[in-house]
Amino acid sequence: MCGVAPWGDTAHGFLFHSMDAGNSFTALNCPVSVTGTSAFSNAGHIMLINPGNGAQIFLAGQAEFNFNSGNAYYSTSGLYVSGDHGSSWVSVADSLKTFWITQMSFNPANPNELFFAVRNLNINGINSGGGGLYKYNVSNGSVTKLFSQDVLEFAFDAGNSQIIIANCTGHINISTDGGTTWSVNISDRKSTRLNSSHTVISYAVFCLKKK
């Protein structure tokens, strides 16, 4: 459940856990701020359970601006992991704590790789930072930045997870090697004809048709 929107200062959201198919719920500590109703809330999945380990949960936050001081973001965002069904949480990297994470997804061909997208927000000339696409290695804890533009959402090709499509502001970019290299910005008004409910898929279909 989201907290106060938009950016309710230090008001976090709420996290609940059921162990009996939803008949009862227990409130858990929520380490991040989750504001899901502001104008910038284009987030996809912000909580994922490791498909190979049901006790391991990843939780991503969305940055909050300190309107009281007007000059900083709170360190209430970032990426956290729990190994005990959400009872306790550990920050993956403190450097991510002011980042606006818009989506997370496991690599469908490698569940050891968690990808997440970040959008940089600018309020009063202050940046939340970190816009781009990242890869987190679940085994060794390393975080690698793969792309350095704001990413609103992204998708893996259904037949080849090395192909990644990143939806940025006003254009898309495509990688065919797992995020090592990227295409130039791709933008074409014809893509709007597809009228898909999912922006990334709209552009992906358009690009495939061009080929």
Side-chain angles (χ1 to χ4, degrees), residues 49-93:
I49 298 173
N50 188 329
N53 178 6
Q56 188 177 58
I57 307 172
F58 292 90
L59 181 66
Q62 300 176 345
E64 293 180 347
F65 191 71
N66 186 338
F67 286 108
N68 294 319
S69 66
N71 62 6
Y73 282 88
Y74 286 108
S75 295
T76 52
S77 183
L79 179 61
Y80 286 77
V81 60
S82 172
D84 53 11
H85 300 282
S87 296
S88 60
W89 298 89
V90 176
S91 172
V92 164

mmCIF file of all heavy atoms in Angstrom, residues 49-93:
data_model
loop_
_atom_site.group_PDB
_atom_site.id
_atom_site.type_symbol
_atom_site.label_atom_id
_atom_site.label_comp_id
_atom_site.label_asym_id
_atom_site.label_seq_id
_atom_site.Cartn_x
_atom_site.Cartn_y
_atom_site.Cartn_z
ATOM 1 N N ILE A 49 9.426 -11.555 -5.880
ATOM 2 C CA ILE A 49 9.885 -12.722 -5.131
ATOM 3 C C ILE A 49 10.794 -13.536 -6.044
ATOM 4 O O ILE A 49 10.465 -13.778 -7.212
ATOM 5 C CB ILE A 49 8.695 -13.572 -4.659
ATOM 6 C CG1 ILE A 49 7.816 -12.759 -3.703
ATOM 7 C CG2 ILE A 49 9.181 -14.848 -3.966
ATOM 8 C CD1 ILE A 49 6.532 -13.454 -3.307
ATOM 9 N N ASN A 50 11.933 -13.924 -5.521
ATOM 10 C CA ASN A 50 12.862 -14.727 -6.302
ATOM 11 C C ASN A 50 12.179 -16.043 -6.696
ATOM 12 O O ASN A 50 11.733 -16.794 -5.832
ATOM 13 C CB ASN A 50 14.119 -15.021 -5.473
ATOM 14 C CG ASN A 50 15.214 -15.684 -6.283
ATOM 15 O OD1 ASN A 50 14.964 -16.433 -7.219
ATOM 16 N ND2 ASN A 50 16.455 -15.399 -5.906
ATOM 17 N N PRO A 51 12.073 -16.326 -8.013
ATOM 18 C CA PRO A 51 11.373 -17.550 -8.432
ATOM 19 C C PRO A 51 12.040 -18.826 -7.950
ATOM 20 O O PRO A 51 11.398 -19.878 -7.889
ATOM 21 C CB PRO A 51 11.403 -17.454 -9.966
ATOM 22 C CG PRO A 51 12.525 -16.533 -10.289
ATOM 23 C CD PRO A 51 12.583 -15.556 -9.161
ATOM 24 N N GLY A 52 13.315 -18.755 -7.590
ATOM 25 C CA GLY A 52 14.008 -19.938 -7.093
ATOM 26 C C GLY A 52 14.103 -20.012 -5.586
ATOM 27 O O GLY A 52 14.617 -20.994 -5.044
ATOM 28 N N ASN A 53 13.608 -18.968 -4.883
ATOM 29 C CA ASN A 53 13.714 -18.919 -3.423
ATOM 30 C C ASN A 53 12.579 -18.055 -2.890
ATOM 31 O O ASN A 53 12.670 -16.836 -2.873
ATOM 32 C CB ASN A 53 15.078 -18.346 -3.014
ATOM 33 C CG ASN A 53 15.222 -18.216 -1.513
ATOM 34 O OD1 ASN A 53 14.360 -18.657 -0.741
ATOM 35 N ND2 ASN A 53 16.307 -17.593 -1.067
ATOM 36 N N GLY A 54 11.509 -18.679 -2.460
ATOM 37 C CA GLY A 54 10.313 -17.964 -2.044
ATOM 38 C C GLY A 54 10.498 -17.078 -0.831
ATOM 39 O O GLY A 54 9.698 -16.174 -0.595
ATOM 40 N N ALA A 55 11.552 -17.304 -0.045
ATOM 41 C CA ALA A 55 11.799 -16.477 1.139
ATOM 42 C C ALA A 55 12.501 -15.177 0.781
ATOM 43 O O ALA A 55 12.534 -14.248 1.595
ATOM 44 C CB ALA A 55 12.633 -17.247 2.161
ATOM 45 N N GLN A 56 13.059 -15.110 -0.429
ATOM 46 C CA GLN A 56 13.817 -13.929 -0.820
ATOM 47 C C GLN A 56 12.932 -12.961 -1.610
ATOM 48 O O GLN A 56 12.401 -13.308 -2.665
ATOM 49 C CB GLN A 56 15.032 -14.318 -1.660
ATOM 50 C CG GLN A 56 15.963 -13.147 -1.943
ATOM 51 C CD GLN A 56 17.195 -13.567 -2.710
ATOM 52 O OE1 GLN A 56 17.103 -14.124 -3.803
ATOM 53 N NE2 GLN A 56 18.366 -13.303 -2.131
ATOM 54 N N ILE A 57 12.790 -11.749 -1.081
ATOM 55 C CA ILE A 57 11.940 -10.727 -1.688
ATOM 56 C C ILE A 57 12.767 -9.486 -1.962
ATOM 57 O O ILE A 57 13.565 -9.053 -1.119
ATOM 58 C CB ILE A 57 10.759 -10.362 -0.766
ATOM 59 C CG1 ILE A 57 9.987 -11.609 -0.339
ATOM 60 C CG2 ILE A 57 9.819 -9.366 -1.456
ATOM 61 C CD1 ILE A 57 8.939 -11.342 0.723
ATOM 62 N N PHE A 58 12.567 -8.897 -3.122
ATOM 63 C CA PHE A 58 13.209 -7.634 -3.474
ATOM 64 C C PHE A 58 12.154 -6.536 -3.474
ATOM 65 O O PHE A 58 11.065 -6.708 -4.026
ATOM 66 C CB PHE A 58 13.888 -7.721 -4.840
ATOM 67 C CG PHE A 58 15.074 -8.633 -4.854
ATOM 68 C CD1 PHE A 58 14.927 -9.984 -5.157
ATOM 69 C CD2 PHE A 58 16.343 -8.148 -4.545
ATOM 70 C CE1 PHE A 58 16.027 -10.832 -5.160
ATOM 71 C CE2 PHE A 58 17.442 -8.989 -4.536
ATOM 72 C CZ PHE A 58 17.279 -10.333 -4.842
ATOM 73 N N LEU A 59 12.481 -5.419 -2.861
ATOM 74 C CA LEU A 59 11.552 -4.306 -2.736
ATOM 75 C C LEU A 59 12.252 -3.022 -3.164
ATOM 76 O O LEU A 59 13.346 -2.714 -2.686
ATOM 77 C CB LEU A 59 11.070 -4.174 -1.289
ATOM 78 C CG LEU A 59 10.067 -3.066 -0.986
ATOM 79 C CD1 LEU A 59 8.735 -3.333 -1.690
ATOM 80 C CD2 LEU A 59 9.843 -2.960 0.523
ATOM 81 N N ALA A 60 11.633 -2.290 -4.080
ATOM 82 C CA ALA A 60 12.211 -1.042 -4.589
ATOM 83 C C ALA A 60 11.369 0.143 -4.157
ATOM 84 O O ALA A 60 10.142 0.059 -4.077
ATOM 85 C CB ALA A 60 12.308 -1.078 -6.112
ATOM 86 N N GLY A 61 12.039 1.257 -3.894
ATOM 87 C CA GLY A 61 11.336 2.451 -3.443
ATOM 88 C C GLY A 61 11.275 3.525 -4.504
ATOM 89 O O GLY A 61 11.877 3.424 -5.575
ATOM 90 N N GLN A 62 10.537 4.571 -4.198
ATOM 91 C CA GLN A 62 10.389 5.715 -5.082
ATOM 92 C C GLN A 62 10.721 6.972 -4.292
ATOM 93 O O GLN A 62 10.210 7.184 -3.190
ATOM 94 C CB GLN A 62 8.963 5.759 -5.635
ATOM 95 C CG GLN A 62 8.630 4.497 -6.427
ATOM 96 C CD GLN A 62 7.197 4.476 -6.894
ATOM 97 O OE1 GLN A 62 6.372 5.237 -6.414
ATOM 98 N NE2 GLN A 62 6.886 3.605 -7.832
ATOM 99 N N ALA A 63 11.584 7.776 -4.861
ATOM 100 C CA ALA A 63 12.186 8.878 -4.102
ATOM 101 C C ALA A 63 11.171 9.905 -3.613
ATOM 102 O O ALA A 63 10.166 10.163 -4.254
ATOM 103 C CB ALA A 63 13.224 9.573 -4.978
ATOM 104 N N GLU A 64 11.471 10.504 -2.461
ATOM 105 C CA GLU A 64 10.646 11.579 -1.897
ATOM 106 C C GLU A 64 11.489 12.835 -1.750
ATOM 107 O O GLU A 64 12.611 12.791 -1.262
ATOM 108 C CB GLU A 64 10.102 11.181 -0.526
ATOM 109 C CG GLU A 64 9.114 10.039 -0.564
ATOM 110 C CD GLU A 64 8.598 9.691 0.817
ATOM 111 O OE1 GLU A 64 9.189 10.158 1.802
ATOM 112 O OE2 GLU A 64 7.614 8.954 0.900
ATOM 113 N N PHE A 65 10.922 13.957 -2.169
ATOM 114 C CA PHE A 65 11.637 15.227 -2.056
ATOM 115 C C PHE A 65 11.315 15.880 -0.714
ATOM 116 O O PHE A 65 10.182 15.829 -0.242
ATOM 117 C CB PHE A 65 11.241 16.167 -3.194
ATOM 118 C CG PHE A 65 12.111 17.384 -3.305
ATOM 119 C CD1 PHE A 65 13.417 17.278 -3.753
ATOM 120 C CD2 PHE A 65 11.639 18.636 -2.948
ATOM 121 C CE1 PHE A 65 14.230 18.390 -3.853
ATOM 122 C CE2 PHE A 65 12.436 19.753 -3.046
ATOM 123 C CZ PHE A 65 13.742 19.642 -3.500
ATOM 124 N N ASN A 66 12.324 16.488 -0.102
ATOM 125 C CA ASN A 66 12.139 17.174 1.175
ATOM 126 C C ASN A 66 11.602 18.582 0.916
ATOM 127 O O ASN A 66 12.356 19.522 0.682
ATOM 128 C CB ASN A 66 13.476 17.239 1.924
ATOM 129 C CG ASN A 66 13.321 17.802 3.323
ATOM 130 O OD1 ASN A 66 12.358 18.497 3.622
ATOM 131 N ND2 ASN A 66 14.278 17.498 4.179
ATOM 132 N N PHE A 67 10.285 18.709 0.905
ATOM 133 C CA PHE A 67 9.680 20.008 0.645
ATOM 134 C C PHE A 67 9.846 20.967 1.823
ATOM 135 O O PHE A 67 9.650 22.170 1.689
ATOM 136 C CB PHE A 67 8.197 19.846 0.302
ATOM 137 C CG PHE A 67 7.946 19.305 -1.075
ATOM 138 C CD1 PHE A 67 7.489 18.012 -1.261
ATOM 139 C CD2 PHE A 67 8.177 20.090 -2.192
ATOM 140 C CE1 PHE A 67 7.262 17.514 -2.534
ATOM 141 C CE2 PHE A 67 7.953 19.603 -3.469
ATOM 142 C CZ PHE A 67 7.492 18.311 -3.639
ATOM 143 N N ASN A 68 10.189 20.446 2.993
ATOM 144 C CA ASN A 68 10.406 21.318 4.147
ATOM 145 C C ASN A 68 11.678 22.146 3.970
ATOM 146 O O ASN A 68 11.704 23.345 4.233
ATOM 147 C CB ASN A 68 10.499 20.482 5.427
ATOM 148 C CG ASN A 68 9.190 19.792 5.750
ATOM 149 O OD1 ASN A 68 8.122 20.381 5.616
ATOM 150 N ND2 ASN A 68 9.266 18.544 6.161
ATOM 151 N N SER A 69 12.734 21.492 3.497
ATOM 152 C CA SER A 69 13.985 22.208 3.272
ATOM 153 C C SER A 69 14.080 22.719 1.840
ATOM 154 O O SER A 69 14.743 23.723 1.570
ATOM 155 C CB SER A 69 15.179 21.294 3.564
ATOM 156 O OG SER A 69 15.231 20.230 2.630
ATOM 157 N N GLY A 70 13.431 21.994 0.907
ATOM 158 C CA GLY A 70 13.439 22.406 -0.488
ATOM 159 C C GLY A 70 14.758 22.206 -1.192
ATOM 160 O O GLY A 70 14.967 22.758 -2.274
ATOM 161 N N ASN A 71 15.653 21.412 -0.625
ATOM 162 C CA ASN A 71 16.970 21.306 -1.247
ATOM 163 C C ASN A 71 17.557 19.895 -1.259
ATOM 164 O O ASN A 71 18.752 19.731 -1.491
ATOM 165 C CB ASN A 71 17.960 22.246 -0.551
ATOM 166 C CG ASN A 71 18.159 21.908 0.913
ATOM 167 O OD1 ASN A 71 17.652 20.912 1.407
ATOM 168 N ND2 ASN A 71 18.886 22.754 1.622
ATOM 169 N N ALA A 72 16.732 18.866 -1.016
ATOM 170 C CA ALA A 72 17.307 17.523 -0.991
ATOM 171 C C ALA A 72 16.219 16.463 -1.113
ATOM 172 O O ALA A 72 15.036 16.719 -0.842
ATOM 173 C CB ALA A 72 18.087 17.304 0.304
ATOM 174 N N TYR A 73 16.634 15.277 -1.518
ATOM 175 C CA TYR A 73 15.768 14.103 -1.475
ATOM 176 C C TYR A 73 16.057 13.318 -0.211
ATOM 177 O O TYR A 73 17.186 13.257 0.259
ATOM 178 C CB TYR A 73 16.010 13.205 -2.692
ATOM 179 C CG TYR A 73 15.369 13.706 -3.957
ATOM 180 C CD1 TYR A 73 16.048 14.594 -4.785
ATOM 181 C CD2 TYR A 73 14.094 13.320 -4.315
ATOM 182 C CE1 TYR A 73 15.461 15.066 -5.945
ATOM 183 C CE2 TYR A 73 13.500 13.781 -5.474
ATOM 184 C CZ TYR A 73 14.187 14.660 -6.286
ATOM 185 O OH TYR A 73 13.602 15.137 -7.422
ATOM 186 N N TYR A 74 15.006 12.727 0.343
ATOM 187 C CA TYR A 74 15.215 11.841 1.480
ATOM 188 C C TYR A 74 15.857 10.533 1.012
ATOM 189 O O TYR A 74 15.651 10.089 -0.122
ATOM 190 C CB TYR A 74 13.882 11.502 2.151
ATOM 191 C CG TYR A 74 13.279 12.617 2.953
ATOM 192 C CD1 TYR A 74 12.151 13.297 2.506
ATOM 193 C CD2 TYR A 74 13.817 12.985 4.185
ATOM 194 C CE1 TYR A 74 11.579 14.314 3.245
ATOM 195 C CE2 TYR A 74 13.256 14.001 4.941
ATOM 196 C CZ TYR A 74 12.135 14.659 4.461
ATOM 197 O OH TYR A 74 11.569 15.660 5.202
ATOM 198 N N SER A 75 16.603 9.901 1.891
ATOM 199 C CA SER A 75 17.169 8.583 1.597
ATOM 200 C C SER A 75 16.168 7.502 1.973
ATOM 201 O O SER A 75 16.409 6.654 2.832
ATOM 202 C CB SER A 75 18.490 8.387 2.351
ATOM 203 O OG SER A 75 19.462 9.287 1.895
ATOM 204 N N THR A 76 15.003 7.541 1.322
ATOM 205 C CA THR A 76 13.917 6.613 1.656
ATOM 206 C C THR A 76 13.593 5.684 0.500
ATOM 207 O O THR A 76 12.610 4.964 0.537
ATOM 208 C CB THR A 76 12.647 7.390 2.024
ATOM 209 O OG1 THR A 76 12.354 8.335 0.984
ATOM 210 C CG2 THR A 76 12.810 8.121 3.336
ATOM 211 N N SER A 77 14.412 5.717 -0.530
ATOM 212 C CA SER A 77 14.169 4.874 -1.695
ATOM 213 C C SER A 77 15.213 3.769 -1.740
ATOM 214 O O SER A 77 15.664 3.290 -0.711
ATOM 215 C CB SER A 77 14.211 5.744 -2.963
ATOM 216 O OG SER A 77 13.914 4.974 -4.096
ATOM 217 N N GLY A 78 15.578 3.345 -2.942
ATOM 218 C CA GLY A 78 16.613 2.337 -3.089
ATOM 219 C C GLY A 78 16.063 0.945 -3.317
ATOM 220 O O GLY A 78 14.867 0.738 -3.511
ATOM 221 N N LEU A 79 16.953 -0.017 -3.257
ATOM 222 C CA LEU A 79 16.611 -1.411 -3.481
ATOM 223 C C LEU A 79 16.993 -2.217 -2.246
ATOM 224 O O LEU A 79 18.134 -2.158 -1.785
ATOM 225 C CB LEU A 79 17.362 -1.941 -4.711
ATOM 226 C CG LEU A 79 17.148 -3.406 -5.085
ATOM 227 C CD1 LEU A 79 15.687 -3.681 -5.411
ATOM 228 C CD2 LEU A 79 18.050 -3.786 -6.268
ATOM 229 N N TYR A 80 16.030 -2.958 -1.732
ATOM 230 C CA TYR A 80 16.229 -3.757 -0.526
ATOM 231 C C TYR A 80 15.924 -5.222 -0.808
ATOM 232 O O TYR A 80 15.126 -5.552 -1.690
ATOM 233 C CB TYR A 80 15.326 -3.265 0.610
ATOM 234 C CG TYR A 80 15.774 -1.965 1.238
ATOM 235 C CD1 TYR A 80 15.561 -0.751 0.596
ATOM 236 C CD2 TYR A 80 16.420 -1.952 2.472
ATOM 237 C CE1 TYR A 80 15.983 0.441 1.158
ATOM 238 C CE2 TYR A 80 16.837 -0.770 3.049
ATOM 239 C CZ TYR A 80 16.618 0.421 2.385
ATOM 240 O OH TYR A 80 17.043 1.595 2.939
ATOM 241 N N VAL A 81 16.551 -6.097 -0.032
ATOM 242 C CA VAL A 81 16.317 -7.529 -0.160
ATOM 243 C C VAL A 81 16.054 -8.119 1.220
ATOM 244 O O VAL A 81 16.661 -7.716 2.219
ATOM 245 C CB VAL A 81 17.516 -8.229 -0.842
ATOM 246 C CG1 VAL A 81 18.807 -8.045 -0.052
ATOM 247 C CG2 VAL A 81 17.223 -9.709 -1.074
ATOM 248 N N SER A 82 15.116 -9.052 1.259
ATOM 249 C CA SER A 82 14.815 -9.801 2.480
ATOM 250 C C SER A 82 15.029 -11.277 2.209
ATOM 251 O O SER A 82 14.672 -11.776 1.136
ATOM 252 C CB SER A 82 13.358 -9.568 2.908
ATOM 253 O OG SER A 82 13.014 -10.432 3.980
ATOM 254 N N GLY A 83 15.601 -11.966 3.162
ATOM 255 C CA GLY A 83 15.787 -13.408 3.037
ATOM 256 C C GLY A 83 14.877 -14.205 3.931
ATOM 257 O O GLY A 83 14.984 -15.438 4.013
ATOM 258 N N ASP A 84 13.931 -13.513 4.614
ATOM 259 C CA ASP A 84 13.066 -14.197 5.578
ATOM 260 C C ASP A 84 11.600 -13.784 5.405
ATOM 261 O O ASP A 84 10.917 -13.447 6.360
ATOM 262 C CB ASP A 84 13.541 -13.921 7.004
ATOM 263 C CG ASP A 84 13.693 -12.426 7.307
ATOM 264 O OD1 ASP A 84 13.230 -11.595 6.489
ATOM 265 O OD2 ASP A 84 14.269 -12.091 8.361
ATOM 266 N N HIS A 85 11.151 -13.781 4.163
ATOM 267 C CA HIS A 85 9.749 -13.480 3.839
ATOM 268 C C HIS A 85 9.341 -12.053 4.204
ATOM 269 O O HIS A 85 8.167 -11.769 4.414
ATOM 270 C CB HIS A 85 8.787 -14.462 4.519
ATOM 271 C CG HIS A 85 9.001 -15.897 4.143
ATOM 272 N ND1 HIS A 85 8.560 -16.441 2.947
ATOM 273 C CD2 HIS A 85 9.645 -16.901 4.803
ATOM 274 C CE1 HIS A 85 8.900 -17.717 2.894
ATOM 275 N NE2 HIS A 85 9.556 -18.032 4.004
ATOM 276 N N GLY A 86 10.290 -11.139 4.309
ATOM 277 C CA GLY A 86 9.956 -9.745 4.566
ATOM 278 C C GLY A 86 10.028 -9.311 6.013
ATOM 279 O O GLY A 86 9.696 -8.167 6.329
ATOM 280 N N SER A 87 10.470 -10.185 6.897
ATOM 281 C CA SER A 87 10.569 -9.803 8.309
ATOM 282 C C SER A 87 11.692 -8.797 8.546
ATOM 283 O O SER A 87 11.598 -7.917 9.400
ATOM 284 C CB SER A 87 10.786 -11.047 9.178
ATOM 285 O OG SER A 87 9.664 -11.904 9.107
ATOM 286 N N SER A 88 12.786 -8.926 7.798
ATOM 287 C CA SER A 88 13.904 -7.999 7.917
ATOM 288 C C SER A 88 14.420 -7.688 6.516
ATOM 289 O O SER A 88 14.248 -8.479 5.580
ATOM 290 C CB SER A 88 15.024 -8.590 8.784
ATOM 291 O OG SER A 88 15.516 -9.794 8.220
ATOM 292 N N TRP A 89 15.069 -6.515 6.403
ATOM 293 C CA TRP A 89 15.500 -6.043 5.091
ATOM 294 C C TRP A 89 16.926 -5.508 5.153
ATOM 295 O O TRP A 89 17.342 -4.955 6.165
ATOM 296 C CB TRP A 89 14.576 -4.928 4.590
ATOM 297 C CG TRP A 89 13.156 -5.362 4.408
ATOM 298 C CD1 TRP A 89 12.167 -5.328 5.346
ATOM 299 C CD2 TRP A 89 12.579 -5.920 3.229
ATOM 300 N NE1 TRP A 89 10.999 -5.823 4.825
ATOM 301 C CE2 TRP A 89 11.221 -6.193 3.525
ATOM 302 C CE3 TRP A 89 13.069 -6.202 1.957
ATOM 303 C CZ2 TRP A 89 10.356 -6.740 2.585
ATOM 304 C CZ3 TRP A 89 12.216 -6.750 1.015
ATOM 305 C CH2 TRP A 89 10.869 -7.016 1.330
ATOM 306 N N VAL A 90 17.646 -5.647 4.050
ATOM 307 C CA VAL A 90 18.999 -5.123 3.918
ATOM 308 C C VAL A 90 19.076 -4.311 2.636
ATOM 309 O O VAL A 90 18.586 -4.735 1.584
ATOM 310 C CB VAL A 90 20.039 -6.259 3.874
ATOM 311 C CG1 VAL A 90 21.436 -5.692 3.642
ATOM 312 C CG2 VAL A 90 19.997 -7.074 5.151
ATOM 313 N N SER A 91 19.683 -3.131 2.709
ATOM 314 C CA SER A 91 19.871 -2.302 1.529
ATOM 315 C C SER A 91 20.904 -2.952 0.609
ATOM 316 O O SER A 91 21.984 -3.331 1.050
ATOM 317 C CB SER A 91 20.338 -0.899 1.934
ATOM 318 O OG SER A 91 20.690 -0.142 0.796
ATOM 319 N N VAL A 92 20.561 -3.065 -0.669
ATOM 320 C CA VAL A 92 21.499 -3.621 -1.641
ATOM 321 C C VAL A 92 22.700 -2.706 -1.802
ATOM 322 O O VAL A 92 23.841 -3.163 -1.876
ATOM 323 C CB VAL A 92 20.791 -3.844 -2.996
ATOM 324 C CG1 VAL A 92 21.795 -4.047 -4.124
ATOM 325 C CG2 VAL A 92 19.841 -5.036 -2.903
ATOM 326 N N ALA A 93 22.461 -1.389 -1.852
ATOM 327 C CA ALA A 93 23.551 -0.410 -1.965
ATOM 328 C C ALA A 93 23.037 0.940 -1.487
ATOM 329 O O ALA A 93 22.018 1.421 -1.975
ATOM 330 C CB ALA A 93 24.055 -0.316 -3.406
#
